Amino acid sequence: MKNIMLPQPHAILDVLKETKAEYTFRVEFQGKSNHGQFFQLSIPKIGEAPISISGKGEGYVEFTIRKVGRLTDGIFGLGKGDTLFMRGPYGNGFPVDRFENKHLLVISGGTGTAPVKTMINHFYDHPEICQSVNIISGFKDIDAVLFTDELKKFSGHEKFNTIYCLDNSEAPGFHKGFVTGYIKEIPISSWGDDYNIVIVGPPAMMKFSALECIKNGAAEDHIWLSYERKMSCAVGKCGHCKINETYVCLEGPVFNYTKAKDLLD
């Protein structure tokens, strides 16, 4: 019987420095994964953590990791050719089939851009299956901006409408302010019933972004959040991620807003 808790060794194929604090690790992987899922990454005798997929392709997956603790310090010490242990993928991702042939609004904050990037690339590569893709991405400052090349790529697509912003500063190609301030520029109320909204970022940012979308005409059941909270075992056994009767690792991390709005600590 397969041990679902046993990490397996995988080779690091490449490492890309995104910012001073975030690197993207491309890791060998031959299986399948869905947009919005996560893996448990680990280093023996150091620890394990859930990390969302930020990129994928034939024979690999990518993880964009922020250096914030003992495990990530260890991962940042690894390079091309080294071994990283992981298990997964886990969780329910974005219901992309429900997003097809409609308008899509993606609102992300900081590293929350990582879990939505493969989904955005899906529609970039297949523009015939979307009416429009609207992106509002916010970062702390210009030094915290992730995926610079892909942000530029998205801006150049005829079906894409992009708004990139920095919290308290300005720079070429970026507005000043929080993502919530630019939601009113998206014509949500003109889309009828043919749209979906995805919001990923810090809890407060997701909460107020969802409320602003509703204020501007969005229906609650058209909004989706990625609620990554204290996941540990990833298989619903440890209970660390449990909120009331909901196991985030099993039922999420992606939730429709009709349920996500009640997932409060």
Side-chain angles (χ1 to χ4, degrees):
M1 181 180 293
K2 181 180 178 181
N3 184 349
I4 61 173
M5 297 290 290
L6 184 64
Q8 299 296 323
H10 293 261
I12 296 174
L13 302 177
D14 202 1
V15 180
L16 173 65
K17 182 179 180 181
E18 301 281 358
T19 71
K20 292 181 179 179
E22 287 112 351
Y23 286 11
T24 292
F25 292 80
R26 177 172 290 189
V27 184
E28 176 271 328
F29 179 69
Q30 300 298 333
K32 294 182 178 181
S33 62
N34 296 324
H35 307 292
Q37 286 189 302
F38 67 96
F39 280 77
Q40 291 286 133
L41 306 187
S42 61
I43 297 177
K45 299 182 180 181
I46 294 181
E48 183 178 59
I51 305 292
S52 295
I53 301 166
S54 64
K56 61 179 181 175
E58 188 66 34
Y60 72 87
V61 288
E62 292 178 341
F63 305 97
T64 301
I65 301 174
R66 185 176 179 82
K67 191 175 183 181
V68 293
R70 187 181 176 203
L71 175 64
T72 52
D73 284 348
I75 293 176
F76 270 55
L78 301 176
K80 182 177 180 180
D82 289 332
T83 298
L84 182 63
F85 285 77
M86 64 188 202
R87 55 187 177 91
Y90 295 113
N92 290 310
F94 299 107
V96 173
D97 57 333
R98 295 180 58 173
F99 300 168
E100 293 181 354
N101 302 310
K102 298 182 179 180
H103 299 279
L104 178 63
L105 169 58
V106 181
I107 306 170
S108 64
T111 53
T113 306
V116 300
K117 188 163 71 70
T118 66
M119 178 182 65
I120 295 173
N121 271 310
H122 171 70
F123 288 104
Y124 183 90
D125 293 335
H126 302 282
E128 72 280 3
I129 61 171
C130 67
Q131 294 193 45
S132 71
V133 176
N134 304 267
I135 303 171
I136 306 176
S137 292
F139 302 91
K140 181 179 179 181
D141 53 42
I142 195 64
D143 293 327
V145 175
L146 299 169
F147 316 125
T148 302
D149 290 341
E150 282 178 291
L151 295 183
K152 291 180 181 178
K153 179 183 77 172
F154 298 150
S155 293
H157 198 288
E158 62 180 359
K159 281 195 173 183
F160 279 50
N161 171 34
T162 59
I163 299 174
Y164 306 137
C165 50
L166 308 175
D167 289 353
N168 297 299
S169 57
E170 293 180 332
F174 291 85
H175 299 276
K176 181 180 180 180
F178 299 112
V179 295
T180 49
Y182 295 94
I183 292 172
K184 62 181 179 293
E185 298 188 14
I186 307 299
I188 299 172
S189 59
S190 70
W191 291 339
D193 200 46
D194 292 336
Y195 70 93
N196 283 279
I197 299 170
V198 170
I199 306 172
V200 185
M205 169 264 177
M206 291 196 294
K207 174 184 176 180
F208 290 107
S209 293
L211 292 175
E212 192 67 20
C213 287
I214 293 168
K215 178 182 175 182
N216 283 274
E220 291 188 356
D221 62 354
H222 285 50
I223 301 173
W224 305 83
L225 310 183
S226 184
Y227 206 98
E228 300 179 14
R229 174 200 181 272
K230 300 179 181 178
M231 291 184 290
S232 183
C233 73
V235 294
K237 299 300 182 183
C238 70
H240 286 179
C241 69
K242 188 178 180 184
I243 304 175
N244 298 323
E245 301 304 316
T246 299
Y247 289 86
V248 174
C249 68
L250 294 180
E251 298 184 45
V254 176
F255 292 94
N256 186 268
Y257 183 72
T258 55
K259 181 161 188 173
K261 66 180 180 179
D262 296 321
L263 295 180
L264 302 174
D265 291 314

